[in-house]
Amino acid sequence: MEFYLSSDIGVQEVTERLRACSPGDQVSCSDEALFEVAKAVLVREKLAGLTIQLLDAGDYVLRTVTSRRRHQVEKLDRFSDRQESVLKALERVLAHCDKEGIRLIGFSDELVAVPAHLDNSACLSAEAVDVDTSGVYRGADSIGEYTKG
């Protein structure tokens, strides 16, 4: 169902209206401060499956937010915001490795670090240090093994 929150509604009424909603309901308002209040209530009350929309004078949606439980977000066919944040952090770490002269090399299902000046050296294995990847890294040779059921 769709509900509209008028600008003169109080925080307590917003809370009561949102608690009464069912997953899939849409709640709209035209006041930005009220939109922020509704978002805060959505988070505080942990109301999953609701959509809050901020509308302009012509009923055009300016901003929207939909609440979901984390396990619902993780089932999407894309990275979650948290996963994207972790990937950006990984990229920063790898850039820092480059800056400090560390090269990462994948050997089958192992990832090793070597000093950059030894990257093409014959004594590579003697200086290589295993990187604990917590099972996250796996070599291309093993991809078929994980897709077989």
Side-chain angles (χ1 to χ4, degrees):
M1 294 188 82
E2 292 186 28
F3 299 97
Y4 183 81
L5 301 175
S6 60
S7 297
D8 60 348
I9 191 170
V11 176
Q12 185 60 35
E13 280 185 86
V14 170
T15 303
E16 290 170 7
R17 294 285 301 274
L18 292 180
R19 281 184 186 161
C21 289
S22 300
D25 287 352
Q26 292 183 342
V27 180
S28 303
C29 64
S30 298
D31 182 86
E32 189 165 352
L34 185 58
F35 177 77
E36 295 299 328
V37 167
K39 277 185 7 183
V41 169
L42 199 66
V43 172
R44 183 183 71 228
E45 299 293 323
K46 298 178 183 172
L47 303 171
L50 301 182
T51 299
I52 310 291
Q53 298 178 330
L54 175 63
L55 307 176
D56 69 3
D59 288 338
Y60 182 80
V61 177
L62 298 174
R63 293 174 58 196
T64 186
V65 65
T66 301
S67 59
R68 292 185 187 97
R69 297 200 189 290
R70 179 169 292 158
H71 70 275
Q72 292 173 317
V73 173
E74 291 174 356
K75 291 181 182 177
L76 298 176
D77 288 338
R78 61 176 181 79
F79 289 116
S80 70
D81 291 342
R82 289 172 56 114
Q83 289 170 324
E84 287 180 12
S85 176
V86 169
L87 289 173
K88 292 292 182 194
L90 176 61
E91 289 172 348
R92 288 191 299 270
V93 168
L94 293 174
H96 195 67
C97 286
D98 183 47
K99 180 180 174 185
E100 295 298 324
I102 298 171
R103 296 288 181 257
L104 299 177
I105 301 173
F107 289 106
S108 185
D109 280 348
E110 293 182 32
L111 187 64
V112 298
V114 296
H117 68 278
L118 297 178
D119 195 357
N120 294 322
S121 174
C123 65
L124 179 67
S125 61
E127 298 300 323
V129 175
D130 285 340
V131 176
D132 179 7
T133 63
S134 300
V136 174
Y137 174 82
R138 57 181 199 210
D141 294 342
S142 67
I143 290 177
E145 295 172 18
Y146 289 98
T147 58
K148 295 176 186 174

